[in-house]
Amino acid sequence: MSGETTRKPGPEDLRRARVEGRGIALRGDDIDTDRIIPARFLRCVTFEGLGEHVFEDDRKSFPGGLHPFDRPELQRAEILVVSRNFGCGSSREHAPQSLWRWGIRALVGVSFAEIFFGNCAALGVPCVTLAEEEVARLQDAVEKDPALRVIVDVEHRSVMYGERSAPAGLPDGVRQAFLTGTWDSAALLMDRPEEIDAVAARLPYVSLWTSGAAPADEGE
Amino acid sequence: MGKNLLEKVWEAHTVRRLPTGQTQLFIGLHLVHEVTSPQAFEALRQRGWKVRYPGRTFATVDHIVPTDTRKRPFADSLAEEMMAAIETNCREFGIALFDLSDDRQGIVHVVGPELGLTQPGMTIACGDSHTSTHGAFGAIALGIGTSQVRDVLATQCLALDPLKVRRIRLGGRLGPGCFAKDAILTIIRELGVKGGVGYAYEYAGELIEALSMEERMTICNMSIEGGARVGYINPDETALEYIRGRPFAPPAEAWDDAARWWLSMASDPDASYDDEVEIDGSRIEPVVTWGIHPGQSVPVGERIPRPDDLPPEDGASARAALEFMGFRPGQRLVGTRIDVAFIGSCTNGRLSDLREAAAVARGRRTAPHVKALVVPGSRRVAAAAEAEGLDEVFREAGFEWRDAGCSMCLAMNPDKLTDRQVCASSSNRNFKGRQGHPTGRTLLMSPAMVAAAAVAGEVVDVRDLIDGGRRSG
């Protein structure tokens, strides 16, 4: 079992043009966030320590041997290859945090649940999609050769390994955020405070019939 | 060409187009609870930021609170630490907190609407996927992660990619013993648990228009279970009448302006949609789930499908689900013995839900082997139910009457399944391990169906217990 990555998400260079590493396949559709990190581990006020509990219950009851996250040869893998609708369910950011702290830096799958996808993006972790047969092929390949290098090319929207290159899906806005290193959206959103206040002022419910119309720097 | 509600609300709240191509959207109401917020407040603290619009954020505690005692400190030291954190954070950042000593405390998605905070035409965000509940009022309500909670606290904004809109029209009317829960479980079964990814769901049609606000909230609540982050219903007189007189409703002098603006945000008759679906609501029956996601369900009288008969892409997960649940392909669910009955949650923990369940429980007794819990969605719901004597109805029938909270919907508090227990539950998720034990099993159904199962000790068709046991329809 790997120790938790001690760094916080978001190393110095925030650009994510490509993510390269060894792959780890996790098969099965509709793997929900309760399975990624069971709710009892949400009783915390920081995200620290979540890495060791990722898939905790699934790992204890994995049919036919070791769960991929427990296999010695897959420790330090960085590219998680999943199936359909991965991350469905709760909005808990603890799910991508636990994957990130285990060591995952990018995900490849047939499809992702929307809130999970956004939560990964907010940590600088790209989730790209491939056609179903391409995902199956990649899962086979990384299971056969745990040392195989997998490249998630955000810039050119492709996934490459061995001799193969498969076209990958990634929405424009998120791709741009990864390429420019602006996926940490808070800074971007703080850029034009006067425009925020202007929108607030022109919304009738803000100015006329709900409380809390004033931004903090004026209201306090 | 007219516009749909999503387009109108989006336009009214757009601050600017970001360099990434995403939209910076102003959030009119931000709701906070104890589980997904501590790291967001800590991020503000680390960066030296304050909350930009403290008056637009309201906090309550729901996920971790025990429902059998409110005594502090909590027995669970981790829960106590989280409780202390939200108290400190709200005090330090100037945010209103409905804590355990406040008679407005409850599940965040029950509290917002019942206090009149949730209003049509708003953008609403909360660090919880069931935020879609508030769409019942014609708000665009988004479940968000903790980084986005931080963004909303710091800027009152979110960076979002556009959403498509699918209009789901439900014709007909619900028959006796059939409820909003059955309607949304039917929608999810028909459109799939990922059918809504990338979409907002607009629920419309005769069946929807006839629903009360509480029933509409049940529908919108489970949008996310169908993959849709946002679900909404166009505001109408039913919505206006619900809001009138609530603590945060517009003052009398602003009411007419508010009502006019709210109704103006409804989708235009000639609005366009990215997709449209029609479902005949009159054929909806009481639904029970048999699997490990909310799309794996059948009408209570039907057999569990055989994985071999399903489309190939659903077969593998159906097989895994049947193995986990211990069901056989083609088996009937009626007669499945239950160990626990749970009535509550943001899906079905409101007064009308408790009334429907109480109507079944009245004058009956829970089966001796069943542990049955009723957890009101909020303290106001509890008080209203007690004023009607529902607590006594439940107690006399052998149910435990608890304090408000999320409780056994996700079992972050002491209310949990053990071992291989089977729970008839009015909550929203039947995921593996969801109710607090890795091998615990969940059967989702309406509150009336849960009450019926609690009485019978096994899954039954609630229609056999109401109307003097006569089957209608």
Side-chain angles (χ1 to χ4, degrees):
Chain A
M1 197 174 295
S2 79
E4 166 147 334
T5 310
T6 49
R7 281 182 302 139
K8 293 200 161 151
E12 306 66 40
D13 184 357
L14 300 177
R15 286 168 300 166
R16 297 279 186 279
R18 65 194 251 155
V19 183
E20 183 175 350
R22 290 189 290 123
I24 174 170
L26 188 64
R27 294 174 190 265
D29 294 339
D30 308 311
I31 293 180
D32 58 75
T33 51
D34 277 88
R35 285 172 66 184
I36 299 172
I37 186 79
R40 62 184 181 277
F41 299 114
L42 274 52
R43 287 152 50 246
C44 56
V45 294
T46 77
F47 291 123
E48 280 160 34
L50 286 178
E52 59 185 288
H53 298 300
V54 67
F55 294 115
E56 173 123 339
D57 293 339
D58 276 10
R59 286 159 76 169
K60 282 181 183 155
S61 61
F62 194 70
L66 284 179
H67 187 279
F69 277 66
D70 285 325
R71 304 232 322 247
E73 71 277 18
L74 296 176
Q75 304 305 309
R76 310 188 67 81
E78 292 181 305
I79 315 290
L80 178 60
V81 190
V82 297
S83 299
R84 282 181 300 173
N85 200 30
F86 186 79
C88 59
S90 143
S91 67
R92 60 188 70 166
E93 195 164 303
H94 308 67
Q97 282 278 358
S98 64
L99 290 168
W100 195 92
R101 284 160 194 275
W102 188 85
I104 299 300
R105 293 293 176 268
L107 286 88
V108 181
V110 182
S111 60
F112 296 92
E114 206 164 310
I115 303 178
F116 176 83
F117 176 94
N119 283 342
C120 286
L123 302 184
V125 175
C127 297
V128 302
T129 56
L130 293 184
E132 185 153 12
E133 59 279 10
E134 287 292 348
V135 167
R137 196 192 297 264
L138 175 56
Q139 286 174 335
D140 291 344
V142 299
E143 280 175 355
K144 202 169 147 213
D145 178 9
L148 183 69
R149 302 297 291 177
V150 179
I151 297 168
V152 175
D153 188 333
V154 170
E155 185 169 11
H156 300 102
R157 287 192 174 104
S158 69
V159 173
M160 295 171 289
Y161 56 99
E163 300 291 300
R164 196 157 185 92
S165 172
L170 186 66
D172 290 337
V174 172
R175 173 177 168 273
Q176 202 56 34
F178 284 131
L179 293 182
T180 52
T182 53
W183 45 265
D184 181 351
S185 40
L188 208 56
L189 294 172
M190 288 186 103
D191 227 19
R192 310 260 183 90
E194 67 290 350
E195 291 185 28
I196 300 173
D197 297 344
V199 168
R202 86 170 182 244
L203 281 166
Y205 69 85
V206 174
S207 51
L208 294 181
W209 66 81
T210 58
S211 58
D217 44 358
E218 294 162 27
E220 283 178 356
Chain B
M1 177 64 82
K3 289 178 182 155
N4 61 47
L5 180 140
L6 179 97
E7 293 170 311
K8 293 184 190 185
V9 173
W10 194 275
E11 206 172 284
H13 292 79
T14 294
V15 174
R16 63 174 178 138
R17 195 181 157 88
L18 295 166
T20 56
Q22 292 175 303
T23 300
Q24 177 168 358
L25 205 68
F26 183 83
I27 300 302
L29 174 66
H30 184 205
L31 299 169
V32 163
H33 62 84
E34 75 280 18
V35 176
T36 57
S37 66
Q39 299 88 347
F41 284 111
E42 189 53 33
L44 260 64
R45 215 173 266 124
Q46 280 174 9
R47 299 183 193 196
W49 294 343
K50 53 182 170 179
V51 176
R52 181 146 191 93
Y53 280 86
R56 309 210 73 79
T57 294
F58 294 84
T60 188
V61 288
D62 51 12
H63 284 62
I64 57 162
V65 300
T67 57
D68 52 353
T69 171
R70 298 186 158 235
K71 207 164 143 265
R72 297 280 300 275
F74 295 149
D76 175 357
S77 62
L78 294 174
E80 178 60 29
E81 189 185 1
M82 297 178 80
M83 193 61 114
I86 196 164
E87 288 166 342
T88 307
N89 289 331
C90 288
R91 203 180 315 120
E92 186 179 327
F93 288 94
I95 288 166
L97 169 66
F98 308 137
D99 64 12
L100 284 185
S101 65
D102 193 309
D103 61 12
R104 296 169 292 185
Q105 177 266 337
I107 306 176
V108 64
H109 309 308
V110 175
V111 167
E114 74 182 3
L115 293 181
L117 288 165
T118 300
Q119 295 176 9
M122 277 183 166
T123 46
I124 299 177
C126 174
D128 190 281
S129 61
H130 292 111
T131 306
S132 56
T133 310
H134 307 265
F137 291 79
I140 295 304
L142 297 142
I144 57 177
T146 298
S147 293
Q148 290 180 308
V149 172
R150 172 205 64 197
D151 289 358
V152 178
L153 289 171
T155 70
Q156 204 61 34
C157 291
L158 287 172
L160 294 169
D161 281 309
L163 283 168
K164 294 182 282 188
V165 182
R166 171 177 295 140
R167 178 163 64 173
I168 303 170
R169 295 178 56 88
L170 279 91
R173 284 192 174 254
L174 290 169
C178 304
F179 300 92
K181 181 65 159 289
D182 302 305
I184 187 62
L185 283 171
T186 301
I187 290 170
I188 295 166
R189 181 176 63 236
E190 300 213 347
L191 302 182
V193 289
K194 53 188 173 295
V197 173
Y199 284 95
Y201 277 176
E202 176 179 308
Y203 304 99
E206 175 188 13
L207 187 152
I208 297 290
E209 287 162 19
L211 296 178
S212 71
M213 289 314 294
E214 297 195 351
E215 294 171 311
R216 293 180 189 187
M217 285 187 247
T218 299
I219 301 269
C220 290
N221 172 275
M222 289 188 70
S223 300
I224 186 66
E225 282 11 292
R229 187 182 193 180
V230 164
Y232 69 85
I233 293 168
N234 284 306
D236 60 4
E237 288 299 328
T238 306
L240 268 52
E241 280 317 304
Y242 178 96
I243 297 168
R244 195 191 290 276
R246 297 197 178 259
F248 289 89
E253 64 274 15
W255 178 265
D256 290 346
D257 285 342
R260 203 173 309 117
W261 188 74
W262 290 342
L263 295 174
S264 78
M265 299 305 278
S267 296
D268 295 323
D270 59 342
S272 67
Y273 297 90
D274 300 283
D275 191 31
E276 299 205 51
V277 175
E278 301 258 353
I279 292 174
D280 176 8
S282 56
R283 63 182 172 80
I284 290 171
E285 294 194 65
V287 176
V288 181
T289 61
W290 51 265
I292 54 169
H293 69 57
Q296 292 172 324
S297 71
V298 283
V300 62
E302 289 185 15
R303 293 172 186 277
I304 297 172
R306 295 171 193 282
D308 294 342
D309 298 341
L310 294 171
E313 69 269 22
D314 294 335
S317 65
R319 262 176 225 106
L322 289 175
E323 192 189 328
F324 178 81
M325 296 298 290
F327 292 141
R328 297 181 312 278
Q331 182 184 338
R332 287 187 196 279
L333 283 169
V334 168
T336 302
R337 184 183 159 99
I338 66 154
D339 306 294
V340 177
F342 171 64
I343 295 168
S345 85
C346 59
T347 309
N348 281 128
R350 298 180 181 80
L351 184 60
S352 58
D353 300 312
L354 304 189
R355 283 180 183 153
E356 296 294 353
V360 175
R362 192 183 300 273
R364 297 191 168 98
R365 284 292 300 176
T366 56
H369 68 273
V370 172
K371 178 185 174 69
L373 290 184
V374 183
V375 183
S378 71
R379 296 193 85 177
R380 286 171 64 103
V381 169
E386 285 163 8
E388 292 181 14
L390 300 185
D391 57 327
E392 278 310 308
V393 172
F394 285 119
R395 278 202 198 93
E396 279 168 20
F399 290 79
E400 295 176 39
W401 177 254
R402 297 291 190 90
D403 275 326
C406 300
S407 178
M408 208 183 267
C409 174
L410 85 169
M412 278 191 74
N413 77 342
D415 308 332
K416 297 177 199 305
L417 297 184
T418 56
D419 303 319
R420 290 273 286 157
Q421 280 186 323
V422 173
C423 179
S425 182
S426 74
S427 56
N428 43 59
R429 288 184 177 140
N430 50 343
F431 297 155
K432 281 183 179 178
R434 171 74 178 183
Q435 293 192 286
H437 195 278
T439 53
R441 296 170 285 174
T442 304
L443 309 177
L444 300 177
M445 56 188 85
S446 72
M449 282 281 287
V450 175
V455 166
E458 59 187 38
V459 174
V460 290
D461 187 335
V462 67
R463 292 172 297 188
D464 292 338
L465 273 72
I466 56 177
D467 292 339
R470 289 189 307 277
R471 289 294 286 272
S472 36

